[in-house]
Amino acid sequence: MRQLAGGSALSPFRLEKIQAAINAAGVRARLLDARYLYFLKDDEGLSEAQRSGLRTLLNADEASGESEHSDVTWYCVPRLGTISPWSSKATEIAHLCGLTAVARIERGIVYRWLLDQPLSDAERTWIKGLIHDRMVETVLDDLSQTKQLFEEVPPRALTEEIGRAHV
């Protein structure tokens, strides 16, 4: 899996709104930025020209793996075990552009924070609630965890128990 770094994911207004909520709650954390990060599955078959075309299509650059200093970095990605609607459409567009070597493209947001003091577990949970929709997104604490984006989860059998469906 390879990553490409994208542009700013949130408008200045949205960034200010998140920071205002954090400040109002008395949490001593400063949101540095929120940027798109694109994850590519099976793109090894691309030529350099195709890689350049993909970067242009996504308006992205090669992710260096290094970032500006931050105390905490979180990765907001589509819920693990699902394929996001954005991914379905982006992958289809890439294939229509001749980039069929890319099996799938997913998009996440990397949030970088500076802290005046370590966050409590409750503060971490609360802030993560501000930056993602738990119905469709997951917040990961480490970039290595993003490998799970492309893991295939076999469907579970549906069972019925006295008129109630259980999964």
Short mmCIF file of all heavy atoms in Angstrom, two decimals, residues 77-129:
data_model
loop_
_atom_site.label_atom_id
_atom_site.label_comp_id
_atom_site.label_asym_id
_atom_site.label_seq_id
_atom_site.Cartn_x
_atom_site.Cartn_y
_atom_site.Cartn_z
N VAL A 77 -10.28 7.62 8.68
CA VAL A 77 -10.43 6.85 7.46
C VAL A 77 -11.84 6.27 7.40
O VAL A 77 -12.54 6.23 8.42
CB VAL A 77 -9.38 5.72 7.38
CG1 VAL A 77 -7.97 6.29 7.33
CG2 VAL A 77 -9.53 4.73 8.53
N PRO A 78 -12.25 5.79 6.22
CA PRO A 78 -13.56 5.13 6.16
C PRO A 78 -13.59 3.94 7.13
O PRO A 78 -12.55 3.33 7.42
CB PRO A 78 -13.65 4.65 4.72
CG PRO A 78 -12.75 5.57 3.97
CD PRO A 78 -11.63 5.89 4.91
N ARG A 79 -14.76 3.65 7.61
CA ARG A 79 -14.92 2.56 8.57
C ARG A 79 -14.26 1.29 8.04
O ARG A 79 -14.46 0.91 6.88
CB ARG A 79 -16.40 2.33 8.82
CG ARG A 79 -16.68 1.46 9.99
CD ARG A 79 -18.13 1.50 10.31
NE ARG A 79 -18.39 0.58 11.40
CZ ARG A 79 -19.50 0.59 12.09
NH1 ARG A 79 -20.44 1.46 11.82
NH2 ARG A 79 -19.67 -0.28 13.05
N LEU A 80 -13.46 0.67 8.88
CA LEU A 80 -12.73 -0.53 8.47
C LEU A 80 -13.71 -1.63 8.09
O LEU A 80 -14.75 -1.79 8.72
CB LEU A 80 -11.80 -0.99 9.59
CG LEU A 80 -10.74 0.03 10.01
CD1 LEU A 80 -9.92 -0.49 11.18
CD2 LEU A 80 -9.84 0.42 8.85
N GLY A 81 -13.36 -2.37 7.04
CA GLY A 81 -14.22 -3.44 6.56
C GLY A 81 -15.25 -2.99 5.55
O GLY A 81 -16.07 -3.78 5.09
N THR A 82 -15.23 -1.69 5.19
CA THR A 82 -16.17 -1.17 4.20
C THR A 82 -15.40 -0.55 3.03
O THR A 82 -14.21 -0.28 3.13
CB THR A 82 -17.08 -0.08 4.80
OG1 THR A 82 -16.28 1.07 5.14
CG2 THR A 82 -17.81 -0.57 6.04
N ILE A 83 -16.11 -0.34 1.95
CA ILE A 83 -15.57 0.42 0.81
C ILE A 83 -16.42 1.67 0.72
O ILE A 83 -17.64 1.60 0.55
CB ILE A 83 -15.66 -0.38 -0.50
CG1 ILE A 83 -14.82 -1.65 -0.40
CG2 ILE A 83 -15.20 0.47 -1.68
CD1 ILE A 83 -14.94 -2.58 -1.59
N SER A 84 -15.79 2.82 0.87
CA SER A 84 -16.53 4.07 0.90
C SER A 84 -17.08 4.40 -0.49
O SER A 84 -16.52 4.00 -1.51
CB SER A 84 -15.63 5.21 1.38
OG SER A 84 -14.68 5.53 0.38
N PRO A 85 -18.18 5.15 -0.54
CA PRO A 85 -18.70 5.61 -1.84
C PRO A 85 -17.64 6.44 -2.60
O PRO A 85 -17.54 6.34 -3.81
CB PRO A 85 -19.91 6.46 -1.47
CG PRO A 85 -20.32 5.96 -0.12
CD PRO A 85 -19.05 5.53 0.56
N TRP A 86 -16.86 7.23 -1.86
CA TRP A 86 -15.81 8.02 -2.52
C TRP A 86 -14.84 7.08 -3.21
O TRP A 86 -14.42 7.32 -4.35
CB TRP A 86 -15.07 8.89 -1.49
CG TRP A 86 -14.08 9.78 -2.15
CD1 TRP A 86 -14.28 11.07 -2.55
CD2 TRP A 86 -12.73 9.44 -2.52
NE1 TRP A 86 -13.14 11.56 -3.15
CE2 TRP A 86 -12.18 10.58 -3.15
CE3 TRP A 86 -11.95 8.32 -2.39
CZ2 TRP A 86 -10.87 10.60 -3.64
CZ3 TRP A 86 -10.66 8.33 -2.88
CH2 TRP A 86 -10.13 9.47 -3.49
N SER A 87 -14.45 6.01 -2.54
CA SER A 87 -13.51 5.05 -3.10
C SER A 87 -14.06 4.39 -4.36
O SER A 87 -13.34 4.25 -5.36
CB SER A 87 -13.18 3.96 -2.07
OG SER A 87 -12.39 2.95 -2.64
N SER A 88 -15.31 4.00 -4.31
CA SER A 88 -15.92 3.36 -5.49
C SER A 88 -15.85 4.27 -6.70
O SER A 88 -15.45 3.85 -7.79
CB SER A 88 -17.38 3.00 -5.20
OG SER A 88 -17.46 2.05 -4.17
N LYS A 89 -16.21 5.53 -6.52
CA LYS A 89 -16.23 6.47 -7.64
C LYS A 89 -14.80 6.83 -8.08
O LYS A 89 -14.50 6.86 -9.28
CB LYS A 89 -17.00 7.73 -7.26
CG LYS A 89 -17.21 8.71 -8.39
CD LYS A 89 -17.78 8.07 -9.64
CE LYS A 89 -19.25 7.91 -9.60
NZ LYS A 89 -19.79 7.34 -10.87
N ALA A 90 -13.91 7.08 -7.13
CA ALA A 90 -12.53 7.44 -7.48
C ALA A 90 -11.82 6.30 -8.21
O ALA A 90 -11.09 6.53 -9.18
CB ALA A 90 -11.75 7.83 -6.23
N THR A 91 -12.04 5.08 -7.75
CA THR A 91 -11.42 3.93 -8.41
C THR A 91 -11.97 3.76 -9.82
O THR A 91 -11.22 3.50 -10.76
CB THR A 91 -11.63 2.65 -7.57
OG1 THR A 91 -11.10 2.88 -6.25
CG2 THR A 91 -10.94 1.46 -8.19
N GLU A 92 -13.29 3.95 -9.96
CA GLU A 92 -13.91 3.86 -11.29
C GLU A 92 -13.33 4.93 -12.23
O GLU A 92 -13.00 4.64 -13.39
CB GLU A 92 -15.43 4.04 -11.17
CG GLU A 92 -16.15 3.99 -12.50
CD GLU A 92 -17.64 4.26 -12.36
OE1 GLU A 92 -18.13 4.49 -11.23
OE2 GLU A 92 -18.32 4.24 -13.40
N ILE A 93 -13.18 6.14 -11.76
CA ILE A 93 -12.61 7.22 -12.58
C ILE A 93 -11.17 6.89 -12.96
O ILE A 93 -10.77 7.08 -14.12
CB ILE A 93 -12.71 8.57 -11.84
CG1 ILE A 93 -14.18 9.01 -11.75
CG2 ILE A 93 -11.87 9.64 -12.53
CD1 ILE A 93 -14.43 10.19 -10.82
N ALA A 94 -10.39 6.39 -12.01
CA ALA A 94 -9.00 6.02 -12.31
C ALA A 94 -8.96 4.95 -13.40
O ALA A 94 -8.15 5.03 -14.33
CB ALA A 94 -8.29 5.54 -11.05
N HIS A 95 -9.83 3.97 -13.30
CA HIS A 95 -9.87 2.91 -14.32
C HIS A 95 -10.27 3.47 -15.68
O HIS A 95 -9.69 3.09 -16.71
CB HIS A 95 -10.81 1.79 -13.89
CG HIS A 95 -10.29 0.98 -12.76
ND1 HIS A 95 -11.01 -0.01 -12.15
CD2 HIS A 95 -9.09 1.01 -12.11
CE1 HIS A 95 -10.30 -0.55 -11.18
NE2 HIS A 95 -9.12 0.06 -11.13
N LEU A 96 -11.23 4.39 -15.71
CA LEU A 96 -11.64 5.02 -16.97
C LEU A 96 -10.51 5.85 -17.58
O LEU A 96 -10.48 6.06 -18.79
CB LEU A 96 -12.89 5.89 -16.77
CG LEU A 96 -14.18 5.12 -16.49
CD1 LEU A 96 -15.29 6.08 -16.09
CD2 LEU A 96 -14.59 4.28 -17.69
N CYS A 97 -9.59 6.31 -16.74
CA CYS A 97 -8.43 7.07 -17.21
C CYS A 97 -7.26 6.14 -17.58
O CYS A 97 -6.15 6.61 -17.83
CB CYS A 97 -7.98 8.06 -16.13
SG CYS A 97 -9.15 9.39 -15.85
N GLY A 98 -7.51 4.84 -17.60
CA GLY A 98 -6.47 3.89 -18.00
C GLY A 98 -5.57 3.42 -16.87
O GLY A 98 -4.58 2.75 -17.11
N LEU A 99 -5.91 3.75 -15.64
CA LEU A 99 -5.09 3.38 -14.49
C LEU A 99 -5.64 2.10 -13.85
O LEU A 99 -5.92 2.04 -12.64
CB LEU A 99 -5.05 4.54 -13.48
CG LEU A 99 -4.57 5.87 -14.05
CD1 LEU A 99 -4.79 7.00 -13.06
CD2 LEU A 99 -3.11 5.78 -14.46
N THR A 100 -5.78 1.06 -14.65
CA THR A 100 -6.42 -0.18 -14.19
C THR A 100 -5.54 -0.98 -13.24
O THR A 100 -6.03 -1.89 -12.58
CB THR A 100 -6.81 -1.06 -15.39
OG1 THR A 100 -5.64 -1.29 -16.19
CG2 THR A 100 -7.88 -0.39 -16.24
N ALA A 101 -4.27 -0.64 -13.13
CA ALA A 101 -3.38 -1.34 -12.19
C ALA A 101 -3.71 -0.99 -10.74
O ALA A 101 -3.32 -1.71 -9.82
CB ALA A 101 -1.92 -1.03 -12.48
N VAL A 102 -4.43 0.09 -10.54
CA VAL A 102 -4.82 0.49 -9.18
C VAL A 102 -6.10 -0.27 -8.83
O VAL A 102 -7.15 -0.04 -9.43
CB VAL A 102 -5.07 2.02 -9.09
CG1 VAL A 102 -5.52 2.40 -7.69
CG2 VAL A 102 -3.83 2.79 -9.47
N ALA A 103 -5.99 -1.18 -7.88
CA ALA A 103 -7.15 -1.98 -7.50
C ALA A 103 -8.18 -1.14 -6.74
O ALA A 103 -9.38 -1.32 -6.90
CB ALA A 103 -6.72 -3.17 -6.65
N ARG A 104 -7.70 -0.21 -5.92
CA ARG A 104 -8.62 0.61 -5.13
C ARG A 104 -7.89 1.83 -4.60
O ARG A 104 -6.71 1.77 -4.28
CB ARG A 104 -9.17 -0.21 -3.97
CG ARG A 104 -10.33 0.46 -3.25
CD ARG A 104 -11.05 -0.53 -2.35
NE ARG A 104 -11.26 0.06 -1.05
CZ ARG A 104 -11.29 -0.59 0.09
NH1 ARG A 104 -11.12 -1.89 0.11
NH2 ARG A 104 -11.49 0.04 1.21
N ILE A 105 -8.63 2.92 -4.47
CA ILE A 105 -8.13 4.16 -3.88
C ILE A 105 -9.06 4.50 -2.72
O ILE A 105 -10.28 4.45 -2.87
CB ILE A 105 -8.15 5.34 -4.88
CG1 ILE A 105 -7.40 5.00 -6.16
CG2 ILE A 105 -7.60 6.61 -4.23
CD1 ILE A 105 -7.63 6.02 -7.28
N GLU A 106 -8.51 4.79 -1.58
CA GLU A 106 -9.30 5.29 -0.45
C GLU A 106 -8.74 6.64 -0.02
O GLU A 106 -7.57 6.94 -0.27
CB GLU A 106 -9.24 4.32 0.74
CG GLU A 106 -10.30 3.27 0.78
CD GLU A 106 -11.75 3.74 0.90
OE1 GLU A 106 -12.01 4.96 0.99
OE2 GLU A 106 -12.62 2.87 0.88
N ARG A 107 -9.59 7.43 0.60
CA ARG A 107 -9.18 8.75 1.06
C ARG A 107 -9.44 8.87 2.55
O ARG A 107 -10.49 8.48 3.04
CB ARG A 107 -9.96 9.83 0.31
CG ARG A 107 -9.60 11.24 0.75
CD ARG A 107 -10.38 12.27 -0.03
NE ARG A 107 -11.78 12.25 0.37
CZ ARG A 107 -12.69 13.08 -0.10
NH1 ARG A 107 -12.38 13.98 -1.02
NH2 ARG A 107 -13.94 13.02 0.31
N GLY A 108 -8.46 9.40 3.25
CA GLY A 108 -8.61 9.68 4.67
C GLY A 108 -8.15 11.10 4.94
O GLY A 108 -7.75 11.83 4.03
N ILE A 109 -8.22 11.48 6.20
CA ILE A 109 -7.75 12.80 6.63
C ILE A 109 -6.77 12.59 7.77
O ILE A 109 -7.06 11.85 8.71
CB ILE A 109 -8.90 13.70 7.09
CG1 ILE A 109 -9.91 13.92 5.96
CG2 ILE A 109 -8.37 15.05 7.60
CD1 ILE A 109 -11.15 14.70 6.37
N VAL A 110 -5.61 13.22 7.66
CA VAL A 110 -4.64 13.16 8.76
C VAL A 110 -4.75 14.47 9.54
O VAL A 110 -4.70 15.56 8.97
CB VAL A 110 -3.19 12.91 8.24
CG1 VAL A 110 -2.74 13.95 7.25
CG2 VAL A 110 -2.22 12.80 9.39
N TYR A 111 -4.99 14.32 10.84
CA TYR A 111 -5.10 15.46 11.76
C TYR A 111 -3.84 15.52 12.59
O TYR A 111 -3.44 14.51 13.19
CB TYR A 111 -6.30 15.29 12.70
CG TYR A 111 -7.64 15.44 12.04
CD1 TYR A 111 -8.28 14.36 11.45
CD2 TYR A 111 -8.29 16.68 12.01
CE1 TYR A 111 -9.52 14.49 10.86
CE2 TYR A 111 -9.53 16.82 11.42
CZ TYR A 111 -10.14 15.73 10.84
OH TYR A 111 -11.38 15.87 10.26
N ARG A 112 -3.23 16.70 12.68
CA ARG A 112 -2.03 16.89 13.49
C ARG A 112 -2.31 17.91 14.59
O ARG A 112 -2.88 18.97 14.32
CB ARG A 112 -0.87 17.35 12.61
CG ARG A 112 -0.45 16.29 11.62
CD ARG A 112 0.77 16.72 10.82
NE ARG A 112 1.11 15.71 9.87
CZ ARG A 112 0.67 15.71 8.61
NH1 ARG A 112 -0.12 16.66 8.18
NH2 ARG A 112 1.03 14.74 7.79
N TRP A 113 -1.88 17.56 15.80
CA TRP A 113 -2.19 18.37 16.98
C TRP A 113 -0.94 18.70 17.77
O TRP A 113 -0.03 17.90 17.87
CB TRP A 113 -3.11 17.56 17.91
CG TRP A 113 -4.36 17.08 17.28
CD1 TRP A 113 -4.51 15.94 16.54
CD2 TRP A 113 -5.63 17.71 17.30
NE1 TRP A 113 -5.80 15.83 16.12
CE2 TRP A 113 -6.51 16.90 16.57
CE3 TRP A 113 -6.11 18.88 17.89
CZ2 TRP A 113 -7.85 17.22 16.41
CZ3 TRP A 113 -7.45 19.20 17.72
CH2 TRP A 113 -8.30 18.39 16.99
N LEU A 114 -0.94 19.87 18.39
CA LEU A 114 0.05 20.25 19.41
C LEU A 114 -0.67 20.27 20.75
O LEU A 114 -1.81 20.75 20.85
CB LEU A 114 0.65 21.62 19.14
CG LEU A 114 1.73 21.70 18.06
CD1 LEU A 114 2.23 23.13 17.92
CD2 LEU A 114 2.89 20.77 18.37
N LEU A 115 0.00 19.75 21.77
CA LEU A 115 -0.62 19.66 23.09
C LEU A 115 0.19 20.42 24.12
O LEU A 115 1.42 20.39 24.09
CB LEU A 115 -0.69 18.19 23.54
CG LEU A 115 -1.38 17.21 22.59
CD1 LEU A 115 -1.28 15.80 23.15
CD2 LEU A 115 -2.83 17.60 22.38
N ASP A 116 -0.50 21.10 25.02
CA ASP A 116 0.17 21.74 26.15
C ASP A 116 0.43 20.72 27.25
O ASP A 116 1.33 20.90 28.07
CB ASP A 116 -0.67 22.88 26.71
CG ASP A 116 -0.73 24.06 25.76
OD1 ASP A 116 0.14 24.15 24.87
OD2 ASP A 116 -1.63 24.90 25.91
N GLN A 117 -0.38 19.68 27.29
CA GLN A 117 -0.25 18.61 28.27
C GLN A 117 -0.87 17.35 27.67
O GLN A 117 -1.68 17.45 26.75
CB GLN A 117 -0.94 18.97 29.58
CG GLN A 117 -2.44 19.21 29.41
CD GLN A 117 -3.05 19.88 30.63
OE1 GLN A 117 -2.39 20.65 31.30
NE2 GLN A 117 -4.30 19.58 30.90
N PRO A 118 -0.50 16.18 28.14
CA PRO A 118 -1.07 14.94 27.58
C PRO A 118 -2.60 14.93 27.74
O PRO A 118 -3.14 15.43 28.72
CB PRO A 118 -0.43 13.83 28.41
CG PRO A 118 0.82 14.44 28.96
CD PRO A 118 0.52 15.90 29.15
N LEU A 119 -3.26 14.34 26.75
CA LEU A 119 -4.71 14.23 26.80
C LEU A 119 -5.12 13.03 27.65
O LEU A 119 -4.49 11.98 27.60
CB LEU A 119 -5.28 14.03 25.39
CG LEU A 119 -5.09 15.17 24.39
CD1 LEU A 119 -5.56 14.74 23.01
CD2 LEU A 119 -5.85 16.41 24.85
N SER A 120 -6.21 13.20 28.38
CA SER A 120 -6.77 12.06 29.11
C SER A 120 -7.51 11.18 28.10
O SER A 120 -7.79 11.61 26.97
CB SER A 120 -7.75 12.55 30.19
OG SER A 120 -8.90 13.10 29.57
N ASP A 121 -7.84 9.97 28.50
CA ASP A 121 -8.60 9.09 27.61
C ASP A 121 -9.94 9.73 27.24
O ASP A 121 -10.39 9.63 26.10
CB ASP A 121 -8.82 7.72 28.26
CG ASP A 121 -7.54 6.90 28.33
OD1 ASP A 121 -6.58 7.21 27.60
OD2 ASP A 121 -7.50 5.94 29.12
N ALA A 122 -10.58 10.36 28.20
CA ALA A 122 -11.88 11.00 27.95
C ALA A 122 -11.72 12.15 26.94
O ALA A 122 -12.56 12.32 26.05
CB ALA A 122 -12.47 11.52 29.26
N GLU A 123 -10.66 12.94 27.07
CA GLU A 123 -10.42 14.03 26.13
C GLU A 123 -10.14 13.50 24.73
O GLU A 123 -10.65 14.04 23.73
CB GLU A 123 -9.26 14.91 26.59
CG GLU A 123 -9.58 15.73 27.82
CD GLU A 123 -8.36 16.41 28.41
OE1 GLU A 123 -7.23 15.89 28.29
OE2 GLU A 123 -8.55 17.48 29.03
N ARG A 124 -9.35 12.43 24.62
CA ARG A 124 -9.08 11.82 23.31
C ARG A 124 -10.38 11.37 22.66
O ARG A 124 -10.62 11.65 21.49
CB ARG A 124 -8.15 10.61 23.46
CG ARG A 124 -6.72 10.94 23.67
CD ARG A 124 -5.89 9.66 23.86
NE ARG A 124 -4.49 9.98 23.88
CZ ARG A 124 -3.73 10.10 22.81
NH1 ARG A 124 -4.22 9.89 21.63
NH2 ARG A 124 -2.46 10.42 22.92
N THR A 125 -11.20 10.68 23.42
CA THR A 125 -12.47 10.18 22.88
C THR A 125 -13.36 11.34 22.46
O THR A 125 -13.98 11.30 21.38
CB THR A 125 -13.19 9.31 23.95
OG1 THR A 125 -12.33 8.22 24.28
CG2 THR A 125 -14.51 8.79 23.43
N TRP A 126 -13.42 12.38 23.25
CA TRP A 126 -14.26 13.53 22.94
C TRP A 126 -13.78 14.24 21.67
O TRP A 126 -14.58 14.56 20.79
CB TRP A 126 -14.28 14.49 24.13
CG TRP A 126 -15.16 15.67 23.89
CD1 TRP A 126 -16.51 15.73 23.97
CD2 TRP A 126 -14.72 16.98 23.49
NE1 TRP A 126 -16.95 17.00 23.64
CE2 TRP A 126 -15.87 17.77 23.35
CE3 TRP A 126 -13.47 17.54 23.25
CZ2 TRP A 126 -15.81 19.11 22.98
CZ3 TRP A 126 -13.41 18.87 22.88
CH2 TRP A 126 -14.56 19.64 22.75
N ILE A 127 -12.47 14.48 21.56
CA ILE A 127 -11.94 15.16 20.38
C ILE A 127 -12.16 14.30 19.13
O ILE A 127 -12.55 14.81 18.08
CB ILE A 127 -10.45 15.52 20.54
CG1 ILE A 127 -10.28 16.60 21.61
CG2 ILE A 127 -9.87 16.01 19.22
CD1 ILE A 127 -8.84 16.92 21.95
N LYS A 128 -11.91 13.01 19.24
CA LYS A 128 -12.14 12.13 18.08
C LYS A 128 -13.60 12.21 17.64
O LYS A 128 -13.90 12.14 16.44
CB LYS A 128 -11.74 10.69 18.40
CG LYS A 128 -10.23 10.50 18.46
CD LYS A 128 -9.87 9.07 18.80
CE LYS A 128 -8.37 8.87 18.85
NZ LYS A 128 -8.00 7.47 19.14
N GLY A 129 -14.51 12.36 18.59
CA GLY A 129 -15.93 12.52 18.26
C GLY A 129 -16.21 13.80 17.48
O GLY A 129 -17.17 13.85 16.69
#
